[in-house]
Amino acid sequence: MKIAIFSDVHANLAALQAVQNDIDRVGVSARLCLGDSVGYGADPRACLDLLLQSCDVLLAGNHDLAAAGRLSLDRFSGLARHAVDYARALLTEPQRKRLAEMHDEEWWGDLLLVHASPADPAEFPYVRDAEAARAQFDARQFRAAFYGHTHLPLAFEDDGERVGLTARPRLELKAGMRYLCNVGSVGQPRDQDPRACWALYDSDARTVAFRRVAYDIEATTARIKEAGLPEALAARLLVGV
Ligand code: ZN
């Protein structure tokens, strides 16, 4: 079975549509989205509607919960706050309600899905290095977990003794090993590749392939400026940081 796993759409409609088209071309049995559907971008309402219609799992990220009024803005940067306020004002009441009801983790068969961290899904810490990954493996039982939040596609492997990091575009999940895979970001990649990112998981071959999809970034930055959002949110999309 082929499964599309992606995260951090961040109200970037052009990127989401490009990824959905790529997923359609590949053909999958399920679409799993790990949260942060809104925030940063200009189109929170359209993105959330499209995700609610098309995803088999849609988790809540920190931006979603903040837009729904369930998470304080204290820990958000000025830029992120601005974008959360924008999303909050634009979303419909039913949409805010849906966001407020979403979970921060779910199991899909034997896959653990979270927005930020298996160990502490409601606290949204950043798992970027092997030391942080070690704590995740130690805290929970799982063979493979998928997460987003850092916007950096990569995977950690735990062979029982040490945790290794890999950023290979294709990964084989070996028997006896445990995996923590970050699926990157659809709408705001931060690994210096501005193309949208999603992960294709094949449950028979036990492989994860990171796919990159070009989309109309110029049109997206124009939308962000038109919406009156901070210019920096547009500029970063061009360089993928
Ligand atoms: Zn995010």
Side-chain angles (χ1 to χ4, degrees):
M1 193 155 55
K2 286 182 179 156
I3 297 168
I5 312 177
F6 54 92
S7 190
D8 296 84
V9 171
H10 281 299
N12 184 337
L13 186 60
L16 176 58
Q17 286 168 335
V19 162
Q20 296 274 36
N21 290 341
D22 195 43
I23 293 171
D24 289 342
R25 270 192 296 277
V26 170
V28 300
S29 310
R31 289 165 208 243
L32 316 178
C33 181
L34 310 183
D36 273 4
S37 305
V38 306
Y40 295 133
D43 292 296
R45 199 156 52 195
C47 285
L48 186 57
D49 273 345
L50 187 52
L51 291 166
L52 285 167
Q53 281 159 23
S54 57
C55 290
D56 298 273
V57 168
L58 182 57
L59 295 181
N62 47 321
H63 286 254
D64 302 320
L65 295 180
R70 250 181 69 189
L71 192 71
S72 151
L73 285 171
D74 291 351
R75 287 185 308 173
F76 283 65
S77 71
L79 277 180
R81 265 181 215 211
H82 198 124
V84 166
D85 284 339
Y86 171 85
R88 202 182 266 178
L90 225 71
L91 293 173
T92 64
E93 189 50 40
Q95 283 184 317
R96 277 195 295 270
K97 235 180 124 196
R98 286 296 291 271
L99 283 182
E101 288 162 353
M102 283 177 194
H103 302 145
D104 51 27
E105 69 167 79
E106 247 173 81
W107 286 90
W108 181 263
D110 63 350
L111 307 180
L112 175 59
L113 310 172
V114 295
H115 179 66
S117 150
D120 222 350
E123 275 300 310
F124 304 105
Y126 289 93
V127 179
R128 298 190 184 98
D129 55 31
E131 197 187 327
R134 172 83 273 157
Q136 309 302 311
F137 286 117
D138 290 346
R140 295 283 294 269
Q141 282 301 319
F142 59 86
R143 281 182 63 200
F146 288 84
Y147 74 114
H149 193 48
T150 65
H151 302 203
L152 301 170
L154 48 77
F156 296 98
E157 294 177 318
D158 175 17
D159 67 4
E161 281 175 17
R162 63 177 286 282
V163 171
L165 165 72
T166 167
R168 287 193 300 274
R170 191 172 175 282
L171 186 72
E172 241 185 86
L173 307 191
K174 299 182 206 102
M177 305 272 277
R178 300 171 69 203
Y179 293 87
L180 181 59
C181 299
N182 192 304
V183 297
S185 169
V186 170
Q188 196 196 76
R190 293 181 191 160
D191 61 341
Q192 294 168 6
D193 181 343
R195 293 174 301 168
C197 185
W198 68 280
L200 174 63
Y201 172 66
D202 186 322
S203 63
D204 301 318
R206 295 280 293 170
T207 54
V208 179
F210 295 107
R211 292 179 64 93
R212 302 308 286 249
V213 188
Y215 72 96
D216 192 342
I217 298 180
E218 275 77 20
T220 303
T221 59
R223 288 270 311 123
I224 287 175
K225 289 175 201 166
E226 256 171 47
L229 286 162
E231 188 106 14
L233 293 176
R236 67 190 303 176
L237 294 181
L238 296 166
V239 283
V241 295

